[in-house]
Amino acid sequence: GVQASVMRAYRTPLAFTARLLPHGARRTAHRGNVPRSSVRTVVMASTSTTTLVTPKWVKDNLADIHVVDASWHMPALKRSAVDEFKAKRIPGAKFFDIDGVSDGANPAPHMLPSTQGMRAALNALGLIDDRAVVLYDNDGMFSVARAWWMFRVFGRDNVFVLDGGAPAYEAAGFTMELDGDVAAVDVSAQACQDAMKGEKGSDFRGEREFLVKSMDDVIKNIDASTFQVVDARGQARFRGEAAEPRAGVRSGHIPGSRNVFFGDLLNSNKTFKTKDEIRAIFVSNGVDLSGDKPIVCSCGTGVTACILALALDTIGNPNAAVYDGSWSEYGADEGAPIAVGEA
């Protein structure tokens, strides 16, 4: 089916090659003769067989890849991702704003922008060629997963994530770029918002709608049970025992959903745990990984849900969807049914 074919295209090096070559070179690629002018892009886009890459891989390939800082911090932390980027970054990095590259007209935070808005943001950052993109954040593993999911939703496959982020890169002894002149940091957000001026509608789903779910989809699924919903929030919030950080949002969870706290999937240095550990965590929390029933990830505002989706990708389930509005949208709707207590 569609899901299987997409998974094959996402994982097969030859599919990478065919997609990244100029149109006229594709037939040649299938014979194994990649034109010399195309070798660098193809090799770089397919050298990593996994979505997660190491600091050494990034350092060794800086000249051939796009490096993008996708840091974003919870407002309560009062940290500025922009200021931190200006002060220190991986050499040559550009800044992608997951909060600014969004549907600003939607009351829920950082909802997906339109295809036109996303394309404008990527164009402004010079990310429209076929070079591999490596995303990272300053926390190690937080908002970067949201950026990775966004890129995938809008049709990009040769996108990788630096496991452990900027802290891992520094811990490996590699030099960071400090201060200096940084091109307009807010170009991605500004380009997106300019492109979406006057655009009507919401519930944008990019170019791969199977990776995105809406509140309507989730509510219908409570009775239909065609997919599994996995909530990335902490246990107390999931059970309805802790107040939500956003005003006007009720406590509890989507009926029938499972709970896998995103932090349980990470080591203390914010790198992912082993594949076996990740599988065991999902299974122990009642998630079916057989592939027979699709998985939809949710959280508070659609950020840490993407960490679950990325974790599932690392263990061979690359097509987990994300409920974009997540609990900030669902819990604010008085008409949406809510459950409390254990899953």
Side-chain angles (χ1 to χ4, degrees):
V2 173
Q3 189 174 24
S5 64
V6 171
M7 182 165 66
R8 286 194 297 271
Y10 182 60
R11 285 300 184 200
T12 306
L14 181 58
F16 268 131
T17 301
R19 182 165 48 250
L20 296 180
L21 285 175
H23 179 73
R26 292 183 182 181
R27 183 176 299 177
T28 308
H30 283 280
R31 293 199 302 267
N33 297 316
V34 180
R36 184 175 298 276
S37 62
S38 302
V39 166
R40 191 173 77 165
T41 297
V42 174
V43 169
M44 291 319 306
S46 57
T47 40
S48 176
T49 57
T50 60
T51 301
L52 296 177
V53 294
T54 65
K56 185 178 187 305
W57 190 93
V58 174
K59 172 66 168 61
D60 289 348
N61 295 303
L62 278 177
D64 296 281
I65 59 177
H66 293 295
V67 180
V68 178
D69 182 334
S71 299
W72 175 82
H73 306 299
M74 294 289 287
L77 296 178
K78 300 188 183 305
R79 289 174 61 184
S80 169
V82 169
D83 288 346
E84 290 175 6
F85 174 80
K86 288 179 178 179
K88 184 167 60 174
R89 59 208 163 269
I90 292 176
K94 301 170 184 181
F95 185 80
F96 181 80
D97 185 352
I98 68 163
D99 213 32
V101 182
S102 65
D103 177 10
N106 196 306
H110 37 249
M111 294 286 281
L112 283 173
S114 66
T115 297
Q116 184 176 336
M118 183 69 169
R119 284 177 178 167
L122 297 184
N123 186 51
L125 291 174
L127 301 179
I128 57 172
D129 62 19
D130 287 328
R131 277 194 288 167
V133 175
V134 175
L135 302 161
Y136 74 93
D137 69 33
N138 285 334
D139 284 314
M141 188 57 62
F142 187 61
S143 56
V144 63
R146 171 80 185 184
W148 166 79
W149 175 74
M150 289 176 68
F151 275 60
R152 285 205 64 211
V153 165
F154 288 97
R156 290 292 291 264
D157 281 337
N158 54 334
V159 179
F160 305 96
V161 174
L162 173 56
D163 196 17
Y169 193 85
E170 284 194 272
F174 300 134
T175 303
M176 297 289 280
E177 197 170 72
L178 304 176
D179 301 318
D181 293 328
V182 181
V185 177
D186 63 348
V187 292
S188 64
Q190 192 60 54
C192 176
Q193 298 309 319
D194 288 347
M196 291 184 66
K197 281 179 180 174
E199 196 161 3
K200 295 181 180 179
S202 58
D203 191 23
F204 297 114
R205 298 184 186 226
E207 298 176 25
R208 290 176 172 159
E209 295 191 6
F210 69 91
L211 290 176
V212 187
K213 295 296 181 185
S214 67
M215 183 164 71
D216 188 49
D217 296 329
V218 170
I219 289 177
K220 287 178 179 176
N221 186 67
I222 293 172
D223 290 328
S225 191
T226 57
F227 54 80
Q228 307 170 79
V229 176
V230 187
D231 193 323
R233 294 176 300 156
Q235 287 87 347
R237 288 174 66 188
F238 179 86
R239 293 192 296 257
E241 298 167 359
E244 286 296 307
R246 293 178 65 86
V249 177
R250 297 172 295 165
S251 298
H253 61 263
I254 298 165
S257 58
R258 299 292 183 175
N259 185 208
V260 175
F261 174 50
F262 77 93
D264 290 344
L265 302 170
L266 305 175
N267 297 308
S268 59
N269 64 356
K270 300 296 182 70
T271 57
F272 273 105
K273 291 182 177 178
T274 67
K275 293 179 182 181
D276 286 345
E277 288 173 317
I278 290 171
R279 286 191 190 96
I281 290 167
F282 276 105
V283 170
S284 67
N285 285 288
V287 181
D288 178 2
L289 298 178
S290 68
D292 293 338
K293 197 169 186 179
I295 299 172
V296 174
C297 306
S298 183
C299 61
T301 66
V303 174
T304 59
C306 298
I307 296 178
L308 298 192
L310 180 53
L312 288 164
D313 176 271
T314 68
I315 59 171
N317 296 70
N319 296 316
V322 169
Y323 168 26
D324 196 17
S326 282
W327 194 254
S328 61
E329 177 185 56
Y330 192 97
D333 189 319
E334 292 295 332
I338 282 181
V340 295
E342 297 288 346

